[in-house]
Amino acid sequence: MVNTFTVTTPSNSLNIPITAFTATDAGGVTGYLITESATAPAPGAAGWTGTAPTIYTVASDGSYTLYPWAKDAVGNVSAVFASPRAVVVDTTAPDTQIDPQPANPSNSADASFTFSSADGTATFECSLEGGAYAGCTSPKNYTGLAAGSHTFAVRAKDPAGNVDAAPGSYTWVIDLTAPTVVSCVRTDPNPTSVASVDFTVTFSEAVTGVAAGDFSLTTTGVSGATVSEVSGSGSIYNVTVDTGIGNGDLRLDIIGTPSIQDLAGNALSGPYTSGQTYTIDKTAPMVISSLRVNPNPTNLSSVQFTVTFSESVTGVDVSDFALTKTGAISGESVTGVSGGPTMYTVSVNTGTGSGDLRLDVPFSATISDLAGNLLTGLPYTGGESYTVDKTAPTVVSNVRAGPNLTSAASVDFTVTFSESVMGVDVSDFSLTTTGVSGAAVSGVSGSGTTYTVTVNTGTGNGTIRLDVPVSASVTDLAGNPLAGLPYTGGESYTVDKT
């Protein structure tokens, strides 16, 4: 007879574990068999084993009733066992779903997970940060978590011991740090005269909710400036500002409103007032003066003008100037520009011939200030002129200023030059005499084109003529030396002291 028979139920294997199977017989038990029928098997049926089986194999999941049988050596089969075993075979693991779950990223140090399984008989095991699974119930709550990345996993387990091989898993980031403004820099050249400028605003991390209302402007000297547009995403945004009217400084500030948040919902830490500033300059530059550098008049082949502007300017070159001339000058040209930023030296080749030469700034000049405003007040024709004189002066006449014949101790000559001259003194004259000794040039007076030369007549009787020798250092006002020397065509005095 069968004494004991127990099995594992439910079973998560098609091979159902037999935990106990014992039988006794006076002549000894020679066979053991398990069937799914209450009808006793024939002693010669297939499947009898000499020892009690430890497993019973079924073909598929389901509910089964197992009957144990024993037989003796002469073929007697035991009566039906009074307590056959009902077994549920379940080899299908339950699934696991997580819903809801914390936001990712999250600005909370606490987290709560709700989870479930389609298998209503399932229980659950939870794990945090890859740790060992432990029994848990939904919802599972965690508090005081540190900032950073976290991973929660949960798996369902049915009564048969089947465990979800693909546990529900969720990774999220806890971000407890408020975003900040890293920089606010100019995008366009500075200074500027344009109607609108751009700033590039960089945050410490990706943010959302950035709009025109999150910015303000700090200005000096500028009115009517407004934030007109905001574009961008992530951590970098472009802010367009209308520059209004007037000249001055313009800075974009970030108010620090709670509308700007990082992806975890932390509000911006602010305000931020340390950004770069635009210098707004909408006033066009102009020429203040164009003055001679060299003495005037001049006979130089090259002269310079100092051109002064109302503010710093750029793009100044020879093409920005023109020459206005009078007289017989030809071949003149602007040859070079140096200096800056408000004062430039312009070199001019005076060409050939004599006349007046003035440096102008024409309409075509492309000079601008540092903000890009083009030069105004053109053409500029109010500069100083050079009188270019490349014609050497000459002696026009040398005539007696007193009567002839004379017995006077001194006489005067009137010397007339072709133009105003300078540097005229006694060393610029010599005397040609006959019969007279000790005569000497004793003084010179006058200016411009006419000079009086006084001569001591010495002793004796004869003639005295005043000459201008080759060694004379007389020049005109432009520095041209006297030409036509020696000059010996002047009148003579007849000296009679007897």
Side-chain angles (χ1 to χ4, degrees):
M1 61 176 292
V2 174
N3 302 117
T4 60
F5 181 64
T6 59
V7 300
T8 298
T9 186
S11 172
N12 62 2
S13 172
L14 296 178
N15 297 312
I16 302 170
I18 307 302
T19 56
F21 186 178
T22 63
T24 58
D25 184 81
V29 178
T30 60
Y32 296 85
L33 182 64
I34 300 173
T35 69
E36 299 173 29
S37 171
T39 302
W48 287 97
T49 61
T51 59
T54 58
I55 62 171
Y56 179 79
T57 301
V58 296
S60 63
D61 288 2
S63 296
Y64 298 89
T65 301
L66 303 185
Y67 295 86
W69 307 95
K71 70 176 181 175
D72 59 17
V74 296
N76 296 307
V77 175
S78 61
V80 63
F81 187 61
S83 300
R85 302 304 180 187
V87 181
V88 175
V89 177
D90 178 5
T91 62
T92 302
D95 63 339
T96 314
Q97 298 87 34
I98 302 175
D99 186 31
Q101 57 216 5
N104 183 35
S106 169
N107 65 350
S108 174
D110 300 336
S112 180
F113 295 88
T114 300
F115 41 87
S116 62
S117 174
D119 184 343
T121 66
T123 59
F124 299 92
E125 296 175 335
C126 295
S127 168
L128 186 66
E129 321 300 20
Y133 281 92
C136 60
T137 58
S138 178
K140 178 63 176 177
N141 299 315
Y142 295 95
T143 61
L145 297 176
S149 179
H150 298 274
T151 299
F152 170 79
V154 59
R155 64 188 184 187
K157 184 176 181 180
D158 64 18
N162 296 297
V163 177
D164 188 352
S169 179
Y170 183 72
T171 298
W172 79 109
V173 174
I174 294 177
D175 177 3
L176 304 177
T177 302
T180 61
V181 179
V182 174
S183 64
C184 178
V185 299
R186 297 181 298 263
T187 306
D188 303 300
N190 184 58
T192 184
S193 62
V194 297
S196 68
V197 294
D198 291 329
F199 291 87
T200 298
V201 181
T202 302
F203 297 90
S204 58
E205 59 182 301
V207 294
T208 60
V210 183
D214 297 310
F215 299 91
S216 64
L217 296 172
T218 297
T219 63
T220 58
V222 175
S223 62
T226 58
V227 177
S228 59
E229 184 179 356
V230 177
S231 62
S233 61
S235 62
I236 299 177
Y237 287 78
N238 187 82
V239 182
T240 301
V241 175
D242 293 337
T243 56
I245 58 174
N247 300 327
D249 294 328
L250 178 64
R251 187 185 73 218
L252 180 70
D253 297 335
I254 295 85
I255 299 173
T257 60
S259 61
I260 299 178
Q261 299 179 350
D262 63 15
L263 303 185
N266 297 298
L268 183 69
S269 175
Y272 180 84
T273 59
S274 301
Q276 292 184 343
T277 299
Y278 277 102
T279 297
I280 308 299
D281 177 4
K282 297 188 177 182
T283 301
M286 57 187 301
V287 181
I288 299 297
S289 62
S290 175
L291 305 176
R292 297 181 297 263
V293 175
N294 307 105
N296 186 57
T298 183
N299 64 349
L300 295 174
S301 60
S302 178
V303 293
Q304 286 78 43
F305 292 87
T306 297
V307 181
T308 302
F309 297 90
S310 58
E311 59 179 300
S312 296
V313 293
T314 62
V316 184
D317 59 35
V318 295
S319 66
D320 295 307
F321 298 95
L323 295 170
T324 296
K325 63 182 179 180
T326 60
I329 296 176
S330 65
E332 73 288 348
S333 63
V334 178
T335 58
V337 178
S338 62
T342 59
M343 187 178 295
Y344 289 80
T345 298
V346 182
S347 297
V348 173
N349 185 333
T350 58
T352 60
S354 300
D356 291 330
L357 191 60
R358 186 184 72 224
L359 182 69
D360 297 337
V361 183
F363 276 119
S364 59
T366 57
I367 299 169
S368 65
D369 63 15
L370 303 185
N373 297 297
L374 290 173
L375 199 62
T376 190
L378 300 181
Y380 177 80
T381 58
E384 292 182 343
S385 297
Y386 277 101
T387 297
V388 179
D389 179 2
K390 297 189 177 180
T391 302
T394 60
V395 180
V396 175
S397 64
N398 178 9
V399 297
R400 296 181 297 268
N404 184 40
L405 141 104
T406 183
S407 61
S410 65
V411 293
D412 293 329
F413 290 88
T414 299
V415 181
T416 302
F417 297 92
S418 59
E419 59 180 299
S420 294
V421 294
M422 60 184 182
V424 184
D425 59 34
V426 294
S427 66
D428 295 310
F429 299 96
S430 63
L431 296 173
T432 298
T433 63
T434 59
V436 175
S437 62
V441 178
S442 60
V444 176
S445 63
S447 63
T449 60
T450 304
Y451 288 80
T452 297
V453 183
T454 301
V455 175
N456 292 332
T457 55
T459 61
N461 300 325
T463 61
I464 300 175
R465 188 184 73 223
L466 181 68
D467 298 334
V468 183
V470 173
S471 61
S473 58
V474 177
T475 65
D476 64 15
L477 303 186
N480 297 297
L482 203 58
L485 300 182
Y487 178 81
T488 58
E491 294 180 342
S492 297
Y493 275 100
T494 298
V495 179
D496 181 1
K497 295 188 177 183
T498 303

